[in-house]
Amino acid sequence: MNIVVPESDRKIQNWILLFHYSIKELAMNLQPNDLLLFARIADTGSFSRAAQRLGLPKSTVSRRLAALESHLGERLLLRTTRKLTVTDFGHTVLEHARQVASEVEAAESLAQHRQIEPAGRLRVSMPSDFANIVLPQVLTEFIARYPSITLEVDLTARRVDLIGENFDCAIRMGDLADDATLAARRMAVFSHGVYASPDYLKRRGVPPEPEALMEHDALRLLLLTGEPAPWVLTRGEARWEGIPPGRATANSPELLIRLAHQGAGIAIAADHFVEPYVRAGELVHVLAGWKPPVATAWAVFPGRRLMPARTRAFLDALQAAFAGPKYEARRAHARQQPGRGDGDVRPER
């Protein structure tokens, strides 16, 4: 018995066969390296930076992306002289491209993790004050211990894009923004106090209570918003908050401490940072019993890939330093001051 297939049905069958053949051909010809390359361009926002990160000539990167777009039959990026914009179709492809990139990085990290000696370039971002005051000895010992690691430290107050700018980790102070692409490890908790030089207090008097700060010269910390950080002091259930008149405002706690040391005004500073000045009698803790909030130092790193051995070695070195006797002795000294304590600590995540 012969079955006659209507002409319309035969056309549908032909379209289905052609579609499956096209998909199969596309899958066979699509190169994972080109998807990885596209992910790097989109994440860095630049052909030049992507080429540098991949170790390829810029012309090769541009040519391979054009070949990928030609193969897919649609534009992935819109190029202007000023910026690159991912198309709607590009965003769909980018999701899969990033999965390829993540798998490649996981394989590379696994290979590096199995090495006996961590090696390679380690890019770290941290505040300059934290590096200059707290970490010189830690960094020196780390460099000596791991000669195969090239340490690259970026000292900046801004919060860098770890993934987009290719950082291995960053040290950040205070509260962390929610970001599912990052993980964090708590390094240390720093208590704070109000400090001034003996010369300043001799000239202007010692403030007996927080409200008296409004009659003094404050050395204030500048926030990322461009506004001075308010001063918050607590003693038991009592709480005082205000912004004292500023003699100087800066985004560097180290500079504010140096200005206070020179008698320019009163500053809120980490007890750990000013401890040498206090021990030498060059700074005095005022408003005993009133506590500014503590500040937590976090190590932040990309959370969706296996951690490279060099990053793990660096974080372990930091934690070992902050768990050591020198740091614990300073914390104990701070706790012995009237009204001092560690306060609430954000749980490690």
Coordinates of all heavy atoms in Angstrom, one line a residue, residues 41-85:
I41 N 36.2 39.1 25.9 CA 36.0 40.4 25.3 C 34.8 41.1 26.0 O 34.9 42.3 26.4 CB 35.7 40.3 23.8 CG1 36.9 39.8 23.0 CG2 35.3 41.7 23.2 CD1 36.6 39.5 21.6
A42 N 33.7 40.3 26.2 CA 32.6 40.9 26.9 C 32.9 41.3 28.3 O 32.4 42.3 28.8 CB 31.4 39.9 26.8
D43 N 33.6 40.5 29.1 CA 33.9 40.7 30.5 C 34.9 41.9 30.7 O 34.8 42.6 31.7 CB 34.4 39.5 31.2 CG 33.3 38.4 31.3 OD1 32.1 38.8 31.3 OD2 33.7 37.2 31.5
T44 N 35.9 42.0 29.8 CA 36.8 43.1 29.9 C 36.4 44.4 29.2 O 36.9 45.5 29.5 CB 38.2 42.7 29.3 OG1 38.0 42.4 27.9 CG2 38.7 41.5 30.0
G45 N 35.4 44.2 28.3 CA 34.9 45.4 27.6 C 35.9 46.0 26.6 O 35.8 47.2 26.2
S46 N 36.8 45.2 26.1 CA 37.9 45.7 25.3 C 38.6 44.6 24.5 O 38.9 43.6 25.1 CB 38.9 46.5 26.1 OG 40.1 46.7 25.4
F47 N 38.8 44.8 23.2 CA 39.6 43.8 22.5 C 41.0 43.8 22.9 O 41.6 42.7 23.0 CB 39.5 44.2 21.0 CG 38.3 43.7 20.3 CD1 37.1 44.5 20.3 CD2 38.2 42.5 19.6 CE1 36.0 44.1 19.6 CE2 37.1 42.1 19.0 CZ 35.9 42.9 19.0
S48 N 41.6 44.9 23.2 CA 43.0 45.0 23.7 C 43.2 44.3 25.0 O 44.1 43.5 25.1 CB 43.4 46.5 23.8 OG 43.3 47.2 22.6
R49 N 42.3 44.6 26.0 CA 42.5 43.9 27.3 C 42.2 42.4 27.2 O 42.9 41.6 27.8 CB 41.5 44.5 28.3 CG 42.0 45.9 28.8 CD 41.2 46.3 30.0 NE 39.8 46.6 29.7 CZ 39.3 47.8 29.4 NH1 40.1 48.8 29.3 NH2 38.0 48.0 29.1
A50 N 41.3 42.0 26.3 CA 41.0 40.6 26.1 C 42.2 39.9 25.5 O 42.7 38.8 25.9 CB 39.8 40.4 25.3
A51 N 42.8 40.6 24.5 CA 44.0 40.0 23.8 C 45.2 39.9 24.8 O 45.9 38.9 24.8 CB 44.4 40.9 22.7
Q52 N 45.4 40.9 25.7 CA 46.4 40.9 26.6 C 46.2 39.7 27.6 O 47.2 39.0 28.0 CB 46.5 42.2 27.4 CG 47.6 42.3 28.4 CD 47.7 43.6 29.1 OE1 46.7 44.4 29.0 NE2 48.8 43.9 29.8
R53 N 45.0 39.6 28.1 CA 44.7 38.5 29.0 C 44.9 37.1 28.4 O 45.3 36.2 29.1 CB 43.2 38.7 29.5 CG 42.9 37.7 30.7 CD 41.5 38.1 31.3 NE 41.1 37.2 32.3 CZ 40.0 37.3 32.9 NH1 39.2 38.3 32.7 NH2 39.6 36.4 33.9
L54 N 44.5 37.0 27.1 CA 44.7 35.7 26.5 C 46.0 35.5 25.9 O 46.4 34.3 25.4 CB 43.6 35.6 25.4 CG 42.2 35.5 25.9 CD1 41.2 35.7 24.7 CD2 41.9 34.2 26.6
G55 N 46.9 36.5 25.9 CA 48.2 36.4 25.3 C 48.2 36.2 23.8 O 49.0 35.5 23.2
L56 N 47.2 36.9 23.1 CA 47.1 36.8 21.7 C 47.2 38.2 21.1 O 46.9 39.2 21.7 CB 45.7 36.3 21.3 CG 45.4 34.8 21.7 CD1 44.0 34.5 21.4 CD2 46.4 33.8 21.0
P57 N 47.6 38.3 19.8 CA 47.5 39.6 19.1 C 46.1 40.1 19.0 O 45.1 39.3 18.9 CB 48.1 39.3 17.7 CG 48.8 38.0 17.9 CD 48.1 37.3 18.9
K58 N 45.9 41.4 19.1 CA 44.6 42.0 19.0 C 43.9 41.7 17.7 O 42.7 41.4 17.6 CB 44.7 43.5 19.2 CG 43.3 44.2 19.1 CD 43.5 45.7 19.3 CE 42.1 46.5 19.1 NZ 42.3 47.9 19.2
S59 N 44.7 41.6 16.6 CA 44.1 41.3 15.3 C 43.6 39.9 15.2 O 42.5 39.7 14.6 CB 45.2 41.5 14.2 OG 46.3 40.6 14.5
T60 N 44.2 39.0 16.0 CA 43.7 37.6 16.0 C 42.4 37.5 16.8 O 41.4 36.9 16.4 CB 44.7 36.7 16.7 OG1 45.9 36.7 16.0 CG2 44.2 35.3 16.8
V61 N 42.3 38.3 17.9 CA 41.1 38.3 18.7 C 39.9 38.9 17.8 O 38.8 38.3 17.8 CB 41.3 39.2 19.9 CG1 39.9 39.4 20.7 CG2 42.3 38.5 20.9
S62 N 40.2 40.0 17.1 CA 39.1 40.6 16.3 C 38.7 39.7 15.2 O 37.5 39.5 14.9 CB 39.7 41.9 15.7 OG 38.7 42.5 14.9
R63 N 39.7 39.0 14.5 CA 39.4 38.1 13.4 C 38.6 36.9 13.9 O 37.6 36.5 13.2 CB 40.7 37.6 12.8 CG 40.5 36.6 11.6 CD 41.8 36.4 10.9 NE 42.9 36.1 11.8 CZ 43.0 34.8 12.3 NH1 42.2 33.8 12.0 NH2 44.1 34.6 13.1
R64 N 38.9 36.3 15.1 CA 38.2 35.1 15.5 C 36.8 35.5 16.0 O 35.9 34.7 15.7 CB 39.0 34.5 16.7 CG 40.3 33.9 16.4 CD 40.2 32.8 15.3 NE 39.1 31.9 15.6 CZ 38.6 31.0 14.7 NH1 39.1 31.1 13.4 NH2 37.7 30.1 15.0
L65 N 36.6 36.7 16.5 CA 35.2 37.1 16.9 C 34.4 37.3 15.6 O 33.2 36.9 15.6 CB 35.2 38.3 17.7 CG 33.8 38.8 18.2 CD1 33.2 37.8 19.2 CD2 33.8 40.2 18.7
A66 N 35.0 37.9 14.6 CA 34.2 38.1 13.4 C 33.9 36.7 12.8 O 32.7 36.6 12.2 CB 35.1 38.9 12.4
A67 N 34.8 35.8 12.8 CA 34.5 34.4 12.3 C 33.3 33.8 13.1 O 32.5 33.1 12.6 CB 35.7 33.6 12.4
L68 N 33.3 34.0 14.4 CA 32.3 33.4 15.3 C 30.9 34.0 14.9 O 29.9 33.3 14.8 CB 32.6 33.6 16.8 CG 31.6 33.2 17.8 CD1 31.4 31.6 17.7 CD2 32.0 33.5 19.2
E69 N 30.9 35.3 14.8 CA 29.6 36.0 14.4 C 29.2 35.5 13.0 O 28.0 35.3 12.8 CB 29.8 37.5 14.4 CG 30.0 38.1 15.8 CD 30.3 39.6 15.8 OE1 30.9 40.1 14.8 OE2 29.8 40.3 16.7
S70 N 30.1 35.4 12.1 CA 29.7 34.9 10.8 C 29.2 33.5 10.8 O 28.2 33.1 10.2 CB 30.9 34.9 9.9 OG 30.6 34.4 8.6
H71 N 29.8 32.6 11.7 CA 29.4 31.3 11.9 C 28.0 31.2 12.5 O 27.1 30.3 12.1 CB 30.4 30.5 12.7 CG 30.1 29.0 12.8 ND1 30.2 28.2 11.8 CD2 29.8 28.3 13.9 CE1 29.9 26.9 12.2 NE2 29.7 27.0 13.4
L72 N 27.7 32.0 13.5 CA 26.4 32.0 14.1 C 25.4 32.8 13.3 O 24.2 32.6 13.6 CB 26.5 32.7 15.5 CG 27.4 31.9 16.5 CD1 27.5 32.8 17.8 CD2 26.8 30.6 16.9
G73 N 25.8 33.6 12.4 CA 24.9 34.3 11.5 C 24.2 35.5 12.1 O 23.2 36.0 11.7
E74 N 24.8 36.1 13.2 CA 24.2 37.2 13.9 C 25.3 37.9 14.7 O 26.3 37.3 15.2 CB 23.1 36.8 14.8 CG 22.2 38.0 15.2 CD 20.9 37.5 15.8 OE1 20.4 36.4 15.5 OE2 20.3 38.3 16.6
R75 N 25.2 39.2 14.9 CA 26.2 40.0 15.6 C 26.1 39.7 17.1 O 25.0 39.6 17.7 CB 25.9 41.5 15.4 CG 26.1 42.0 13.9 CD 27.5 41.9 13.5 NE 28.4 42.8 14.2 CZ 28.6 44.1 13.8 NH1 28.0 44.6 12.7 NH2 29.4 44.9 14.5
L76 N 27.2 39.6 17.7 CA 27.3 39.4 19.2 C 27.7 40.7 19.9 O 27.2 40.9 21.0 CB 28.4 38.4 19.5 CG 28.2 37.0 18.9 CD1 29.4 36.1 19.2 CD2 27.0 36.3 19.5
L77 N 28.4 41.6 19.2 CA 28.8 42.9 19.8 C 28.6 44.0 18.8 O 28.7 43.8 17.6 CB 30.3 42.8 20.1 CG 30.8 41.9 21.2 CD1 32.3 41.8 21.2 CD2 30.3 42.4 22.6
L78 N 28.2 45.1 19.3 CA 28.1 46.4 18.6 C 29.3 47.2 18.9 O 29.5 47.5 20.1 CB 26.8 47.1 18.8 CG 25.5 46.4 18.5 CD1 24.3 47.2 18.9 CD2 25.5 46.0 17.0
R79 N 30.1 47.6 17.9 CA 31.4 48.3 18.2 C 31.2 49.7 17.8 O 30.7 50.1 16.7 CB 32.5 47.6 17.4 CG 32.6 46.1 17.5 CD 33.4 45.5 16.4 NE 33.6 44.1 16.5 CZ 32.7 43.2 16.1 NH1 31.5 43.6 15.7 NH2 32.9 41.9 16.2
T80 N 31.7 50.6 18.7 CA 31.9 52.0 18.4 C 33.3 52.4 18.7 O 34.1 51.6 19.3 CB 30.9 52.9 19.1 OG1 31.2 52.9 20.5 CG2 29.4 52.4 18.9
T81 N 33.7 53.6 18.4 CA 35.0 54.0 18.8 C 35.2 54.2 20.3 O 36.4 54.2 20.8 CB 35.3 55.4 18.1 OG1 34.3 56.3 18.5 CG2 35.3 55.3 16.6
R82 N 34.1 54.2 21.1 CA 34.2 54.4 22.5 C 34.0 53.2 23.3 O 34.5 53.1 24.4 CB 33.3 55.6 22.9 CG 33.7 56.9 22.3 CD 32.8 58.0 22.9 NE 33.2 59.3 22.4 CZ 32.6 60.5 22.8 NH1 31.6 60.4 23.6 NH2 33.0 61.6 22.3
K83 N 33.1 52.3 22.9 CA 32.7 51.2 23.7 C 32.2 50.0 22.9 O 31.9 50.2 21.7 CB 31.7 51.6 24.8 CG 30.3 52.0 24.2 CD 29.3 52.3 25.3 CE 28.0 52.6 24.7 NZ 27.0 52.8 25.8
L84 N 32.1 48.9 23.6 CA 31.5 47.7 23.0 C 30.2 47.4 23.7 O 30.1 47.6 24.9 CB 32.4 46.5 23.2 CG 33.8 46.6 22.5 CD1 34.6 45.3 22.9 CD2 33.7 46.7 21.0
T85 N 29.2 47.1 23.0 CA 27.9 46.7 23.6 C 27.5 45.3 23.1 O 27.5 45.0 21.9 CB 26.8 47.8 23.1 OG1 27.2 49.1 23.4 CG2 25.5 47.5 23.8

